[in-house]
Amino acid sequence: EIVVTQSPLSLPVTPGEPASISCRSSQSLQHSNGHTYLDWYVQRPGQSPQVLIYMGSNRASGVPDRFSASGSGTDFTLKISRVEAEDVGVYYCMQTLQHRTFGPGTKVEI
Amino acid sequence: QVQLHESGPGLVKPSETLSLSCTVSGGSISGHYWSWIRQPPGKGLEWIGYIHYSGTTKYSPSFWSRVTMSVDSSKNQFSLNLNSVTAADSAVYYCARLTSENFFYWYVGVWGQGILVTVSS
């Protein structure tokens, strides 16, 4: 089973400032087709999770362009270029290469 | 716009079977993959598995000995059965739809609101 870890687990942020979250997998998430099998989700307080990024670096429809993701192999990063108050919540990465496994989550708070 | 709504008992006794349904509105169950994800209170997300509208399933290794998913196209519903439950199965259970932009990669594009299930005698 692919194990996914995240750091930090808690991230204090300042509105207007950048923020980044790291995600690491126990095995490479590069598929033989060349694509990265990793998604990013956010669960805002009191809400169901929603997708931010799929297949490594593709922003889902409606996601603001202040969110970006990068990485390959086993190391990945989600970046928020300028944090807004509405970005508070718990951010999860999830590998999709073998079954699906979520990371433990990173709580972003102002 | 597709909406998902979970339903089922909020309380299940230990050793019994947890049974939930997810009703799809605003769209057809056909042609899609449907999944179940859970979140124990105060904890992170756990992937349970998914089912294709045709009935093909793929379960997480953590659950495959206890889980069964099914689709009822006539009701535009899909279901989750988890047997031999313990207190550790207490969680908010989400049903969800997998979305694809390219027909080879699917992500969780639509989530239900979640239903809290408590396992207790």
Side-chain angles (χ1 to χ4, degrees):
Chain A
E1 179 179 322
I2 297 178
V3 177
V4 179
T5 58
Q6 292 180 231
S7 62
L9 298 183
S10 179
L11 180 61
V13 297
T14 301
E17 295 296 308
S20 66
I21 299 169
S22 172
C23 174
R24 289 184 174 168
S25 58
S26 59
Q27 300 176 37
S28 173
L29 300 184
Q30 300 308 122
H31 192 277
S32 57
N33 62 17
H35 295 289
T36 299
Y37 276 47
L38 182 87
D39 300 335
W40 289 92
Y41 297 86
V42 61
Q43 185 173 30
R44 297 187 171 91
Q47 296 184 18
S48 300
Q50 61 185 92
V51 64
L52 290 172
I53 303 287
Y54 66 92
M55 206 167 64
S57 60
N58 296 271
R59 262 192 312 276
S61 177
V63 174
D65 61 7
R66 65 178 181 275
F67 291 95
S68 65
S70 61
S72 62
T74 60
D75 290 342
F76 308 94
T77 302
L78 176 72
K79 294 182 179 179
I80 309 175
S81 59
R82 291 176 303 279
V83 172
E84 297 190 4
E86 66 184 29
D87 297 336
V88 299
V90 182
Y91 289 74
Y92 297 92
C93 56
M94 180 181 76
Q95 68 84 16
T96 62
L97 187 65
Q98 294 178 12
H99 298 282
R100 279 162 168 82
T101 314
F102 288 97
T106 295
K107 186 174 184 179
V108 171
E109 49 196 352
I110 293 177
Chain B
Q1 187 166 349
V2 171
Q3 293 186 317
L4 307 180
H5 183 70
E6 304 89 349
S7 60
L11 181 64
V12 180
K13 289 182 168 56
S15 80
E16 295 189 345
T17 297
L18 180 159
S19 296
L20 297 175
S21 294
C22 182
T23 300
V24 180
S25 60
S28 174
I29 202 165
S30 297
H32 294 282
Y33 288 93
W34 305 94
S35 66
W36 290 95
I37 300 157
R38 75 179 189 181
Q39 185 171 36
K43 296 188 177 181
L45 300 167
E46 293 182 273
W47 181 267
I48 300 173
Y50 68 72
I51 183 167
H52 189 243
Y53 79 102
S54 63
T56 301
T57 56
K58 190 169 186 178
Y59 303 141
S60 166
S62 299
F63 295 96
W64 66 27
S65 65
R66 300 193 293 136
V67 68
T68 304
M69 297 181 186
S70 59
V71 168
D72 187 338
S73 298
S74 66
K75 295 182 179 179
N76 231 30
Q77 287 182 343
F78 61 103
S79 299
L80 169 73
N81 278 355
L82 183 67
N83 59 38
S84 305
V85 297
T86 69
D89 294 309
S90 297
V92 173
Y93 285 76
Y94 294 99
C95 62
R97 189 186 79 176
L98 301 187
T99 298
S100 179
E101 309 293 344
N102 51 30
F103 301 106
F104 67 86
Y105 190 92
W106 282 263
Y107 59 90
V108 186
V110 182
W111 297 70
Q113 65 185 19
I115 182 170
L116 175 63
V117 179
T118 301
V119 178
S120 174
S121 56

